[in-house]
Amino acid sequence: MKRPKVNPYSDPKRPHLKWYVGYRDSDGKQKRRFFKIKKEAEKFVAEFSDDQEELGKGAGDLSPALKKEALECWKLLAAHGKTIRDATNHFLIHLEQTQKSEKVSILAEEFEAAKKAESVSVAYMRDIRTRLRRFVGEYGERYASEITPKELQGYLEKLPYENLTKNHHRRVLSAFFGYCERLGYCAANPIEKTAKVKAVSGEIKIFTTDEVKWLLAAARELKHLDVLASLA
């Protein structure tokens, strides 16, 4: 690559700038950098040239297959206005989060144990086990950090229950993923981006025994939280 040159610069609107260097960045875009002092411009040219020389040596070590792959990836990302650096940074975040995460089946056991240690009601504990274990049966081998809101929305919509019961499942999953988020197993609670389903207007709902138990348990839990809040 041709070594950039230091050029004199004059602009009445910016009289403090006396020199500029024209160069191409790593994406091939033409750019200019302005300087007050010529020595600063010359220093920039020297450092830029050293970097380009080192980059050239590194590029020479790349195999034809790797160069082809990089070009293909660059074109695919460019169609979405993204760069290979963008993709790399995004994937590194994903890898770091996955390494901190754990499988849903293991975290479900931890969550149940944590709730049991809180001395929640038997009915509430049974409700957690019933609804959460159904979810584990489908997603148990996945990492908590990998579960997306779209997947959760699909899971809830496919449940063979009335809308009110689906919302009960959503509440349990919200508590579970909230637990995962607090302990760093996932970056955010994905259930928060799912939508609650609405019961049909005018629908007469007949609760099952388990649903009545859940409602009573939830009411006791809310009353317990209110008491704690008043003491805070």
Side-chain angles (χ1 to χ4, degrees):
M1 182 177 288
K2 189 176 180 180
R3 185 184 180 92
K5 292 183 179 180
V6 177
N7 304 284
Y9 177 76
S10 178
D11 185 346
K13 295 181 179 180
R14 299 193 292 178
H16 60 291
L17 299 176
K18 302 297 184 182
W19 306 91
Y20 81 91
V21 176
Y23 65 99
R24 290 188 181 277
D25 64 10
S26 57
D27 293 326
K29 296 179 180 179
Q30 186 67 42
K31 291 188 175 183
R32 290 200 302 175
R33 191 149 175 187
F34 301 88
F35 303 88
K36 297 178 181 179
I37 304 172
K38 187 175 183 180
K39 286 185 177 180
E40 291 178 350
E42 291 173 340
K43 181 181 179 182
F44 171 79
V45 168
E47 292 176 348
F48 178 83
S49 299
D50 289 343
D51 289 342
Q52 292 303 307
E53 184 179 351
E54 184 176 350
L55 180 62
K57 291 179 180 178
D61 295 333
L62 298 179
S63 66
L66 186 55
K67 291 179 181 178
K68 180 181 178 182
E69 181 181 354
L71 181 60
E72 290 174 350
C73 292
W74 174 73
K75 288 181 178 179
L76 290 171
L77 290 165
H80 298 279
K82 301 297 181 181
T83 65
I84 293 177
R85 173 63 64 188
D86 293 330
T88 301
N89 290 339
H90 178 79
F91 192 62
L92 286 175
I93 292 174
H94 168 75
L95 287 176
E96 290 173 0
Q97 189 62 59
T98 301
Q99 290 171 355
K100 295 177 183 177
S101 190
E102 187 53 87
K103 290 184 178 180
V104 168
S105 58
I106 294 176
L107 294 178
E109 292 181 2
E110 290 185 11
F111 176 66
E112 288 183 23
K115 285 298 177 184
K116 187 175 181 180
E118 293 175 9
S119 299
V120 299
S121 67
V122 175
Y124 184 64
M125 198 70 226
R126 186 187 304 116
D127 185 71
I128 289 176
R129 291 195 185 100
T130 301
R131 302 187 197 281
L132 190 55
R133 287 180 183 180
R134 180 185 181 90
F135 181 74
V136 169
E138 189 166 341
Y139 291 92
E141 292 305 302
R142 297 278 302 281
Y143 283 85
S145 61
E146 297 177 339
I147 308 298
T148 66
K150 183 178 180 179
E151 289 178 302
L152 290 173
Q153 188 71 56
Y155 170 80
L156 293 169
E157 290 175 354
K158 290 186 297 182
L159 289 174
Y161 304 122
E162 298 290 340
N163 287 351
L164 183 62
T165 303
K166 289 181 179 180
N167 282 335
H168 292 337
H169 279 265
R170 184 180 181 278
R171 289 190 188 98
V172 169
L173 290 176
S174 179
F176 169 66
F177 280 104
Y179 168 84
C180 294
E181 180 185 6
R182 287 193 300 275
L183 297 184
Y185 292 121
C186 58
N189 186 342
I191 204 71
E192 292 180 354
K193 293 185 178 180
T194 64
K196 291 183 179 179
V197 290
K198 296 182 179 179
V200 178
S201 179
E203 175 183 4
I204 298 176
K205 176 63 182 177
I206 300 176
F207 294 101
T208 66
T209 302
D210 285 341
E211 287 174 338
V212 172
K213 289 179 179 179
W214 188 93
L215 287 172
L216 292 174
R220 283 192 288 269
E221 288 297 315
L222 288 174
K223 184 177 181 181
H224 176 65
L225 290 175
D226 288 340
V227 172
L228 289 178
S230 66
L231 297 174

